[in-house]
């Protein structure tokens, strides 16, 4: 019979706890993710997941900006697999699902391999409860690959796409390493006077208000109004969870409806066309397809957001100004708003792009002007929102950051509504400030029917369906970018893609991929080699625009695309072209 059991009543008394052990000294630690909302995104060939990439400076930047780590030795160790193991003893993972139906998830840590980046490194996959309790994972207790090069990515895997959770990831350090503990901030007070003052600082210029105020007055009268957004991954909604309803674009659209809509605002329509990792060089090519929808949409307001994407614009602002002019000269005279986002390191291209806004007297909103100064203040000095709260990663805003961006746009809307109507429209006269050479660019792909070019597809006869997927408008699902493409496969043969086209400028758009089955292609124009297109330059499924030529006068050109030597059995996808007659 067990101790303390009474035979008369059959009641068992459970003894008290054993004497506790001496406390174990708490390891020094830092967060690389703190109470961030994450979302399961569908992945081809894998479970729906939220992925966090670590290579390059991304891991050390997370440690610096989210974890508050300033020790350069610690930051440097995070850049290699050997250093990571020297520094990190264990990983604490806390996931609290937003749905009671989500009982568990998997935590993934993957190192990139030296021999084969995605195949030969260590892949650690550990089940974790989704109830908010911490799972402690000690990587040293699991087998490792001798081919590990650098920490590649972390991921939280779910069973179903679209599932949401709040997650924290903390790294506990080996003995001998210490980093300062940081105090975690109170929630952002979006109703405070300080917050409103910060938002007011985003108004770089009201600009000429005739077009924007006209759209606002239409909305007040209950007439049909469409507000559209074009840009990169921030406009797509990256960092917002859920992406389609917590992104700045959708939030600012809702604010516009609340401020000016009749009844429920069903007469105010939303178009969103952000594509991750792409500059205005691609944006101008896809404007008619992704914003105008082939002529079915005539936007009254277009928000242009490329201030953190246009470092990759080969035309150094020419495509950006051309895009603005393309919109401004539309027959229905839409308003153009220039929006300048910011990266975690306080960088953007506002100095390059704002002169376009000044030149055409456009409304301009700068998130950088609003937020960066106060990022570097303490709470006592006037900090309103910290970088940890604003940013999801080094590039993209978290939900709070997207709210700030939406409120910055809403401040412009409110100020415009209160201002007297400018009597004259903007004047598009004189020389462009950067250039307008791409204003008339057109998209050429497999679906084009206007006879812009004579094409012999050669060995590029396939159609690639594994494309960059983008959440358009308010959709929670992805739509493929450039589905009407030409793809070379292992069985396509060795024939070149040949195109004769009359134009003065030509941009090729091809697919980047992390798939090792993709290889490089040689691009020739009029017999001269102009580009070796390597689809692993970015190494993820992504639309990559490259300028093949830009000339003063139009002429007939022969473009040839041929698989590079040794890559004849690999894949390569031509997504399309942008051409100017």
């Amino acid at each position: 019979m067990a101790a303390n059991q009474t035979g008369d009543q059959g009641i068992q008394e459970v003894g008290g706890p054993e004497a506790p052990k001496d406390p174990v000294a708490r390891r020094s630690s830092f967060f690389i993710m703190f109470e961030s909302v994450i979302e399961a995104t569908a992945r081809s060939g894998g479970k729906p997941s939220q992925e966090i990439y670590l290579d390059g400076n991304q891991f050390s930047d997370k440690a610096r900006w989210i974890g508050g780590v300033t020790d350069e030795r610690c930051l440097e160790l995070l850049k290699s697999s050997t250093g990571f193991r020297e520094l990190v003893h264990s990983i604490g993972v806390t996931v609290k699902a937003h749905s009671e139906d989500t009982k568990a998830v998997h935590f993934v840590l993957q190192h990139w391999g030296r021999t084969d980046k995605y195949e030969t490194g260590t892949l650690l996959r550990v089940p974790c409860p989704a109830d908010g309790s911490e799972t402690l994972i000690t990587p040293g207790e699991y087998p490792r690959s001798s081919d590990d090069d650098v920490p590649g990515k972390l991921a939280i895997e779910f069973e179903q796409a679209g599932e949401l959770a709040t997650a924290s990831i903390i790294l506990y350090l080996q003995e001998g390493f210490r980093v300062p503990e940081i105090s975690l901030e109170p929630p952002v007070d979006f109703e405070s006077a300080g917050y409103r003052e910060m938002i007011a600082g985003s108004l770089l210029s009201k600009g000429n208000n005739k077009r924007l105020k006209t759209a606002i007055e239409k909305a007040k009268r209950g007439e049909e109004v469409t507000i559209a957004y074009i840009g990169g991954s921030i406009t797509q909604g990256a960092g917002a969870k859920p992406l389609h309803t917590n992104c700045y674009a959708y939030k600012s659209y809702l604010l516009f409806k609340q401020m000016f809509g009749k009844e429920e605002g069903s007469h105010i329509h939303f178009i969103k066309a952000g594509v991750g990792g792409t500059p205005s060089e691609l944006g101008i090519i896809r404007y008619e397809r992704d914003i105008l929808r082939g002529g079915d949409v005539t936007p009254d307001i277009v928000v242009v957001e490329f201030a953190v994407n246009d470092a990759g614009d080969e035309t150094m602002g020419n495509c950006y100004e051309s895009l603005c002019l393309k919109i401004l000269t539309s027959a229905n005279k839409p308003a153009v708003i220039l929006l300048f986002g910011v990266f975690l390191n306080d960088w953007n291209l506002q100095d390059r792009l704002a002169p376009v806004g000044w030149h055409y007297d456009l409304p301009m909103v700068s998130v950088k002007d609003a937020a960066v100064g106060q990022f570097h203040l303490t709470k006592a000095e006037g900090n309103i929102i910290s970088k940890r709260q604003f940013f999801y990663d080094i590039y993209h805003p978290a939900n709070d950051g997207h709210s700030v961006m939406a409120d910055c746009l809403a401040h412009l809307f409110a100020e415009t509504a209160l201002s007297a109507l400018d009597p004259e429209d903007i004047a598009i006269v004189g020389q462009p400030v950067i250039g307008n050479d791409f204003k008339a660019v057109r998209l050429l792909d497999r679906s084009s029917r206007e006879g812009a070019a004579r094409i012999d597809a050669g060995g590029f006869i396939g159609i690639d369906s594994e494309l960059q997927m983008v959440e358009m408008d308010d959709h929670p699902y992805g739509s493929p970018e450039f589905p009407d493409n030409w793809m070379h496969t292992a069985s396509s043969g060795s024939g070149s893609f040949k195109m004769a086209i009359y134009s003065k400028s030509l941009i090729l758009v091809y697919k980047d991929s992390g798939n090792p089955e993709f290889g490089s292609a040689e691009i020739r124009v009029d017999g001269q080699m102009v580009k070796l297109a390597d689809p692993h330059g970015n190494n993820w499924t992504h639309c990559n625009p490259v300028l093949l030529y830009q000339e003063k006068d139009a002429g007939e050109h022969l473009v040839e695309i041929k698989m590079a030597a040794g890559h004849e059995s690999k894949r390569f996808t031509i997504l399309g072209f942008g051409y100017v007659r």
Side-chain angles (χ1 to χ4, degrees):
M1 180 179 290
N4 299 324
Q5 182 174 343
T6 60
D8 291 340
Q9 300 179 16
I11 298 174
Q12 178 174 325
E13 296 180 5
V14 179
E18 296 179 1
K21 298 177 180 178
D22 290 336
V24 176
R26 182 181 176 185
R27 293 180 180 274
S28 186
S29 60
F30 61 86
F31 286 96
I32 57 170
M33 174 183 284
F34 179 74
E35 293 189 358
S36 296
V37 179
I38 61 174
E39 181 178 14
T41 299
R43 310 287 176 189
S44 59
K47 286 185 174 293
S49 65
Q50 175 68 64
E51 296 186 338
I52 304 105
Y53 287 89
L54 306 175
D55 48 353
N57 290 322
Q58 294 187 80
F59 205 171
S60 58
D61 283 341
K62 290 179 188 299
R64 186 189 303 273
W65 297 113
I66 299 172
V69 178
T70 57
D71 186 318
E72 293 296 333
R73 182 189 174 203
C74 292
L75 296 172
E76 191 63 29
L77 287 172
L78 291 173
K79 297 179 181 179
S80 71
S81 297
T82 301
F84 170 80
R85 294 190 175 100
E86 182 182 343
L87 177 67
V88 177
H89 173 271
S90 48
I91 305 170
V93 180
T94 305
V95 179
K96 181 67 173 70
H98 291 190
S99 170
E100 293 181 357
D101 295 334
T102 304
K103 303 300 183 184
V105 297
H106 280 84
F107 170 79
V108 175
L109 167 62
Q110 185 174 3
H111 291 261
W112 297 152
R114 294 185 185 87
T115 304
D116 187 322
K117 183 173 182 177
Y118 301 110
E119 299 296 331
T120 59
T122 298
L123 176 61
L124 180 63
R125 188 169 180 268
V126 180
C128 301
D131 59 2
S133 59
E134 183 183 69
T135 299
L136 192 65
I137 300 164
T138 305
E141 296 177 353
Y142 294 85
R144 71 176 69 168
S145 169
S146 60
D147 202 51
D148 285 349
D149 186 15
V150 298
K153 73 173 182 180
L154 304 174
I156 307 292
E157 294 181 343
F158 298 78
E159 290 301 319
Q160 302 293 330
E163 291 185 85
L164 297 171
T166 299
S168 296
I169 301 175
I170 187 169
L171 303 185
Y172 296 101
L173 306 187
Q174 302 280 11
E175 296 294 337
F177 291 97
R178 295 204 65 80
V179 293
E181 290 192 22
I182 57 172
S183 58
L184 301 173
E185 305 91 344
V188 179
D189 185 354
F190 292 100
E191 303 301 323
S192 69
Y195 180 80
R196 291 194 296 272
E197 183 179 353
M198 180 188 76
I199 294 300
S202 69
L203 189 53
L204 181 61
S205 175
K206 289 184 183 180
N208 181 302
N209 69 18
K210 186 174 179 63
R211 295 189 180 195
L212 181 54
K213 195 169 178 69
T214 297
I216 289 172
E217 294 303 319
K218 283 179 65 178
K220 288 180 176 180
R221 294 192 298 267
E223 299 177 26
E224 303 292 313
V225 171
T226 297
I227 181 167
Y229 301 77
I230 187 167
S233 56
I234 295 177
T235 294
Q236 185 179 343
K241 310 297 176 186
L243 179 151
H244 63 298
T245 54
N246 268 328
C247 62
Y248 87 82
Y250 189 75
K251 285 183 173 182
S252 62
Y253 153 74
L254 290 181
L255 289 169
F256 187 91
K257 284 208 305 183
Q258 292 167 13
M259 295 164 73
F260 311 119
K262 284 276 193 178
E263 299 176 351
E264 295 183 356
S266 59
H267 60 291
I268 299 175
H269 309 290
F270 177 63
I271 295 289
K272 184 188 72 174
V275 176
T278 64
S280 56
E281 187 177 353
L282 184 73
I284 193 169
I285 294 172
R286 58 185 184 81
Y287 178 76
E288 292 183 7
R289 183 195 63 192
D290 288 355
I291 295 290
L292 303 184
R293 311 289 162 91
D296 292 338
V297 173
T298 52
D300 299 272
I301 303 167
V302 182
V303 178
V304 179
E305 179 272 315
F306 283 107
V308 293
N309 282 70
D310 264 13
D313 170 25
E314 299 167 285
T315 70
M316 302 296 288
N318 195 321
C319 278
Y320 183 85
E321 184 170 4
S322 296
L323 173 60
C324 294
L325 284 168
K326 190 181 191 73
I327 304 167
L328 289 169
T329 55
S330 299
N332 67 312
K333 297 184 177 180
V336 173
I337 298 170
L338 304 187
L339 177 62
F340 304 127
V342 67
F343 278 165
L344 185 143
N345 65 356
D346 302 341
W347 177 89
N348 72 8
L349 282 169
Q350 185 171 318
D351 288 345
R352 177 201 289 179
L353 305 180
V356 174
W358 297 119
H359 187 65
Y360 300 103
D361 201 12
L362 303 179
M364 292 188 283
V365 173
S366 172
V367 181
K368 178 179 180 179
D369 286 3
V372 165
Q374 63 84 51
F375 279 152
H376 301 280
L377 302 177
T378 65
K379 293 298 180 186
E381 292 169 334
N383 173 260
I384 304 299
I385 181 171
S386 70
K387 287 190 174 184
R388 187 179 297 105
Q389 292 167 314
F390 187 99
F391 290 99
Y392 180 79
D393 56 24
I394 62 174
Y395 305 117
H396 307 112
N399 282 354
D400 284 353
H402 277 278
S403 292
V404 169
M405 294 184 70
D407 287 342
C408 290
L409 285 170
H411 179 70
L412 168 65
F413 300 154
E415 288 293 309
T416 302
L418 292 172
S419 300
L421 177 69
D422 285 329
E424 302 293 333
D425 193 11
I426 62 171
I428 305 174
V429 295
Q431 294 299 310
V433 64
I434 301 175
N436 61 2
D437 299 297
F438 297 89
K439 174 187 166 186
V441 75
R442 300 294 301 274
L443 169 64
L444 171 64
D445 62 12
R446 192 186 278 264
S447 70
S448 299
R449 295 289 182 268
E450 57 186 30
R454 302 186 305 278
I455 294 173
D456 176 2
F460 293 73
I461 55 175
I463 298 178
D464 196 339
S465 60
E466 295 182 2
L467 303 170
Q468 184 172 5
M469 304 295 286
V470 174
E471 293 85 357
M472 305 289 281
D473 305 337
D474 60 355
H475 302 160
Y477 56 85
S479 298
E481 279 290 301
F482 296 94
D484 300 305
N485 54 68
W486 298 271
M487 181 174 69
H488 182 278
T489 67
S491 59
S492 295
S494 59
S496 301
F497 176 97
K498 295 179 180 178
M499 176 175 72
I501 184 168
Y502 184 85
S503 65
K504 59 181 178 181
S505 298
L506 185 68
I507 297 171
L508 162 69
V509 186
Y510 68 91
K511 172 182 161 179
D512 278 320
S513 176
N515 188 335
E517 294 182 6
F518 277 76
S520 299
E522 297 175 352
I523 318 296
R524 289 180 170 80
V525 176
D526 300 327
Q528 298 297 313
M529 178 79 167
V530 297
K531 178 78 177 177
L532 178 65
D534 178 6
H536 300 293
N538 290 288
N539 231 23
W540 58 288
T541 303
H542 164 262
C543 306
N544 195 343
V546 292
L547 181 63
L548 299 186
Y549 57 83
Q550 178 183 356
E551 299 174 346
K552 182 179 180 181
D553 299 311
E556 183 84 11
H557 294 284
L558 178 63
V559 178
E560 180 183 10
I561 302 177
K562 179 181 181 181
M563 297 306 295
H567 293 240
E568 294 88 352
S569 62
K570 290 185 177 288
R571 303 179 190 177
F572 187 90
T573 301
I574 303 166
L575 295 172
F577 299 89
Y579 68 96
V580 180
R581 288 281 194 179

